[in-house]
Amino acid sequence: MSERSADESTAGTFGSWPPLLKHGAALTGFALATLILVSPMDIAAVVWPVVVADALMLAAAVFAIVLPRSSLSPRWEIVIPLVTFVAVALLRTATGGQLSPFGALMIIPVVWIASQPGLRYVLISFAGVLGVVAVPFVVGISSVSVAADVARLVFTPAVFAIAAVLINQIARVQNDRLVRLQRLGLERDRLVQSLEDSTREALRRQEQTLEAARLRDSVWEAITGHAIIGTDLDGTVNVWNRGAVSLLGYSSTEAIGRLDILDVHPRYDEARSALRGGADAPEATDWTYARKDGTTFPAHVLVTERFDEDGDPAGFIFVATDETEATELQRLKDEFTSLISHELRTPLSSILGYVELLRPEDDFDDPMTDQQLKYLDVVDRNARRLLQLVGDLLFTAQVGSGRFTIEPVPTSLTGLVRAAVDTATPAADEAHITLTVVTPDDDVNASVDPVRIGQALDNLLSNAVKFTPRGGSVTIGLESAPGAARLIVADTGIGIPADEVARLSERFFRASTATQHAVKGVGLGLTITKAIVTAHAGTIDIDSTVGAGTTFTVELPL
């Protein structure tokens, strides 16, 4: 409710009463006066003014009934006390004027009007009293003959004016109190509503929290294949799930609050130092965990730092997966690869040897036909291709088993780049691919294994040529940077999807674009290249856009 509407609804002593109820006092007074006039009392009166006065009062009563149901403003109700003033003036004129016994009826419209907010209503009520007092003198019913008449003519309106002022001020104080009470009531209602809304929201959030807790507990209980261990900053275990019970053999009672993480995780101090030093959470790492019975197993572990509600470090979370089966499977794969490679290398070497023996010499008595020589070239080419594949398989097996070593010597990287270009030129020319070399004027030297780095460059260049459509271009560049050298191989080929770039170093992985374009390969070249670069403490970065090309950047320390 607005302030204005509040003032209107509570205005005056009787402001909140219906108009008919407020008019009831005047009706009662006139009814009593009429009864007195028709009683045996000998009171002289002129009939027609009395009848008109009673008719006006009845008309005002009808208006009081109709007003609340009409479209008129509530302010129109002031017409009713004004009509009452007219009726009182008629009644006094009909019953002796200044000597009429019914002049006291003026107090009823005075109270009604003066109780409205604002001093103008005091003036209206004073004007009404003055009019009622003056009418008998105006129409000649009364006259000013003695000083007492003058006193009554002046004193009566003055007293009623003073009474109107008092009534107006009392009503104003009451109105202010009522308005404050209404405002307080509205504010209370708003506060109650807000409290109810807050209570409902709190209950809803509580239910959501309980539901989240139930979901967390159900998920927590369902995780049995991963050991989830939480510690405080000192390494004391305070979280131990069912997976930890299953994998490590300690019950929750034995672990929580009693077990130190170093009992199962010997690399804890290293991980804590890295995280507390401001580093991001380390990537999942292969470590060794110790069980309660003293046995160990390889674990794939992800470590993250925990924080309290204030954002301060509170401990660490370790999520470990038993990698025993995966490690054994990898070992078997490496053994199988190595075994097959060795078993293939011997017969392939023999085939290549016999191919050389079958090639005719100048004094050969029984020369081969052109068709036979063509077949012999096919055998030689495929045997060498298989021998290269066997070599790649042996190399990846050495990398997987940790037996891969390099022999760094001072080497001209410029010379390795030119040699790789010479090797790739025939294939590039055959595919009508432009091969561009960008090297600095000064020779760039580094301590590397020339055979392995040359092999890496050959792989990158051959891939670039192989995956670039006819008419494209391949650029190999060499840059010297502070403390490092960069080898850059860029092509305008088919590109690699962004979500597959990270998998290019996996053995036997081939990008979907390679299979879609039916480009031959087994997916070992980049695996070997990555292993060579990593062994030299270098990095390899790949930037590729499908349909636009790929750029490989190898950075080697000088």
Side-chain angles (χ1 to χ4, degrees):
M1 180 183 295
S2 66
E3 293 184 10
R4 180 179 178 183
S5 61
D7 288 342
E8 289 178 355
S9 65
T10 60
T13 307
F14 312 108
S16 59
W17 293 10
L20 181 61
L21 184 60
K22 290 188 284 185
H23 187 53
L27 285 174
T28 303
F30 271 83
L32 182 59
T34 302
L35 289 175
I36 292 174
L37 290 175
V38 299
S39 69
M41 296 181 182
D42 187 12
I43 298 177
V46 179
V47 176
W48 72 264
V50 175
V51 173
V52 173
D54 289 340
L56 288 175
M57 294 302 293
L58 292 174
V62 173
F63 183 70
I65 295 172
V66 173
L67 179 62
R69 298 171 174 80
S70 69
S71 60
L72 295 176
S73 169
R75 295 183 181 276
W76 277 91
E77 72 175 35
I78 197 173
V79 171
I80 301 172
L82 292 176
V83 170
T84 304
F85 270 128
V86 174
V88 172
L90 289 172
L91 182 62
R92 289 183 77 247
T93 302
T95 56
Q98 185 71 7
L99 300 177
S100 174
F102 305 115
L105 288 174
M106 288 186 294
I107 191 64
I108 297 175
V110 167
V111 171
W112 185 330
I113 296 175
S115 64
Q116 303 302 311
L119 292 177
R120 66 180 180 275
Y121 291 102
V122 174
L123 298 176
I124 293 173
S125 62
F126 174 73
V129 171
L130 189 61
V132 171
V133 172
V135 166
F137 292 96
V138 172
V139 299
I141 298 299
S142 300
S143 61
V144 180
S145 57
V146 294
D149 293 333
V150 176
R152 282 193 293 270
L153 186 61
V154 175
F155 185 72
T156 300
V159 170
F160 274 98
I162 293 172
V165 170
L166 291 175
I167 292 170
N168 186 265
Q169 293 304 307
I170 293 172
R172 183 183 63 80
V173 173
Q174 184 185 20
N175 291 343
D176 292 342
R177 290 177 180 175
L178 289 174
V179 169
R180 286 197 296 269
L181 286 175
Q182 281 196 334
R183 289 174 180 172
L184 289 174
L186 292 174
E187 184 64 24
R188 179 203 61 198
D189 293 341
R190 284 195 293 267
L191 289 174
V192 170
Q193 184 64 40
S194 176
L195 181 60
E196 291 177 351
D197 294 341
S198 299
T199 301
R200 285 193 293 269
E201 181 64 18
L203 292 174
R204 187 182 67 83
R205 291 182 179 275
Q206 182 181 18
E207 181 60 30
Q208 289 179 340
T209 302
L210 292 175
E211 181 63 26
R214 287 192 292 267
L215 179 61
R216 179 200 63 202
D217 292 340
S218 62
V219 172
W220 185 260
E221 290 298 320
I223 300 176
T224 57
H226 301 275
I228 302 178
I229 305 171
T231 72
D232 58 20
L233 294 175
D234 296 326
T236 303
V237 172
N238 51 26
V239 174
W240 193 266
N241 77 327
R242 290 178 61 186
V245 174
S246 175
L247 294 179
L248 296 167
Y250 295 93
S251 66
S252 298
T253 304
E254 293 174 319
I256 296 177
R258 298 181 180 180
L259 195 65
D260 191 283
I261 190 62
L262 289 173
D263 295 330
V264 296
H265 187 359
R267 303 288 293 277
Y268 168 72
D269 287 338
E270 177 183 322
R272 179 173 62 179
S273 298
L275 289 173
R276 294 299 302 278
D280 294 333
E283 297 180 355
T285 310
D286 292 327
W287 286 339
T288 300
Y289 265 29
R291 298 187 180 93
K292 179 180 178 180
D293 59 9
T295 59
T296 60
F297 65 93
H300 202 55
V301 185
L302 178 65
V303 188
T304 55
E305 190 169 10
R306 299 165 57 196
F307 299 90
D308 60 20
E309 60 274 8
D310 297 324
D312 297 324
F316 302 92
I317 288 288
F318 300 83
V319 181
T321 306
D322 188 352
E323 292 292 301
T324 301
E325 293 185 2
T327 302
E328 179 63 16
L329 178 61
Q330 186 61 45
R331 186 187 65 81
L332 292 174
K333 286 171 61 177
D334 290 341
E335 287 185 357
F336 177 76
T337 300
S338 179
L339 177 63
I340 293 299
S341 300
H342 280 96
E343 291 299 321
L344 289 174
R345 172 170 284 188
T346 300
L348 283 173
S349 298
S350 178
I351 291 172
L352 289 172
Y354 278 105
V355 167
E356 290 299 321
L357 290 175
L358 288 173
R359 290 188 182 279
E361 299 180 359
D362 294 338
D363 57 351
F364 201 72
D365 296 334
D366 188 13
M368 290 185 175
T369 64
D370 291 340
Q371 188 71 18
Q372 290 172 331
L373 289 174
K374 182 178 178 181
Y375 292 156
L376 194 62
D377 288 339
V378 171
V379 172
D380 182 78
R381 184 170 59 254
N382 284 282
R384 293 186 184 280
R385 181 180 176 188
L386 283 174
L387 190 61
Q388 178 63 40
L389 178 59
V390 169
D392 290 344
L393 288 171
L394 282 174
F395 183 85
T396 57
Q398 289 174 349
V399 172
S401 62
R403 291 183 282 109
F404 167 59
T405 59
I406 60 172
E407 298 179 1
V409 295
T411 304
S412 169
L413 295 180
T414 306
L416 292 180
V417 168
R418 291 171 179 166
V421 170
D422 291 340
T423 302
T425 296
D429 291 342
E430 184 178 354
H432 298 283
I433 293 173
T434 303
L435 194 57
T436 305
V437 183
V438 180
T439 58
D441 296 333
D442 297 331
D443 200 9
V444 179
N445 296 292
S447 181
V448 298
D449 187 325
V451 175
R452 294 305 186 189
I453 294 298
Q455 184 181 6
L457 286 174
D458 288 341
N459 287 339
L460 292 176
L461 266 180
S462 64
N463 272 355
V465 171
K466 184 166 55 175
F467 291 106
T468 299
R470 294 175 66 87
S473 63
V474 174
T475 301
I476 179 169
L478 174 61
E479 297 178 355
S480 180
R486 293 193 187 97
L487 298 164
I488 304 170
V489 177
D491 63 58
T492 59
I494 59 178
I496 305 161
D499 58 344
E500 298 179 5
V501 169
R503 300 189 59 193
L504 291 179
S505 60
E506 296 179 12
R507 279 192 293 181
F508 305 111
F509 176 79
R510 305 196 70 217
S512 58
T513 47
T515 56
Q516 289 169 5
H517 288 79
V519 180
K520 296 180 179 179
V522 293
L524 290 176
L526 290 178
T527 304
I528 294 171
T529 301
K530 175 69 179 299
I532 292 173
V533 173
T534 302
H536 283 81
T539 59
I540 182 169
D541 181 69
I542 306 171
D543 183 19
S544 185
T545 302
V546 174
T550 304
T551 299
F552 289 87
T553 303
V554 175
E555 188 166 298
L556 299 172
L558 293 178

